[in-house]
Amino acid sequence: MSKPTSLDETTTTPAVGGERADLLESLAKQRHFLRFTTRDLTDEQAGLRTTASALCLGGLIKHVTSVERGWAAFILEGPSSMPDFTRMTEEDFAKRADEFRMLPGETLAGVLKEYEEVAHRTDELVVSLPDLNADHALPPAPWNEPGARWSARRVLLHIVAETAQHAGHADIIRESLDGAKSMG
């Protein structure tokens, strides 16, 4: 069974069964809801802040792309693939904040294309991982319990949750922009 991974439904994920199929289906569904909030928008609209939050739709897509890319690298390479958040400087955090907004020269089409590419690589990882139980120690971060370990399965569930959370944010931002809703 193939699942669409883009708004235009041109890319599909490989067919698998069981738990991996469930993970792929959950990822595809949440990604769809997130991307759907950007339908028919201009680049300018995708970069607008429409609520008290500093978030915009294009920035949310960029952030989720970055998060998914980072956690997929963690599955393959372990904590060395991620920053040590306990050692980040103000400059590091300022640079990280750029992933939450549309920067000059960025386009919604470009942001969506990068997200689609990252999603495709993650889907391939879900299919090809030898063991979803393989785990790594979490990188240092104020929100990570010292010594905690996450399996590939736990990381993939985190990506689903992160995407779902930001799809909800995106829905509110889009409704504030022009009244359009993802559902209802």
Side-chain angles (χ1 to χ4, degrees), residues 63-160:
H63 172 66
V64 172
T65 301
S66 175
V67 166
E68 187 166 326
R69 181 188 301 112
W71 281 111
F74 173 84
I75 289 171
L76 295 171
E77 302 163 26
S80 64
S81 67
M82 300 181 97
D84 178 343
F85 286 96
T86 64
R87 296 182 185 265
M88 287 179 65
T89 65
E90 290 297 320
E91 184 179 318
D92 294 329
F93 280 109
K95 183 177 179 186
R96 188 170 184 264
D98 284 345
E99 75 182 33
F100 290 95
R101 57 183 162 257
M102 296 281 289
L103 300 176
E106 290 182 328
T107 65
L108 179 57
V111 167
L112 288 169
K113 182 178 181 352
E114 185 174 357
Y115 185 40
E116 182 176 352
E117 290 167 359
V118 167
H120 180 72
R121 285 192 299 273
T122 302
D123 290 349
E124 288 176 340
L125 183 62
V126 171
V127 171
S128 66
L129 276 173
D131 184 4
L132 293 176
N133 291 317
D135 68 350
H136 297 290
L138 291 175
W143 48 84
N144 290 338
E145 181 181 330
R149 299 180 70 84
W150 276 10
S151 67
R153 174 184 297 101
R154 177 64 184 92
V155 170
L156 293 166
L157 291 170
H158 178 71
I159 293 170
V160 171

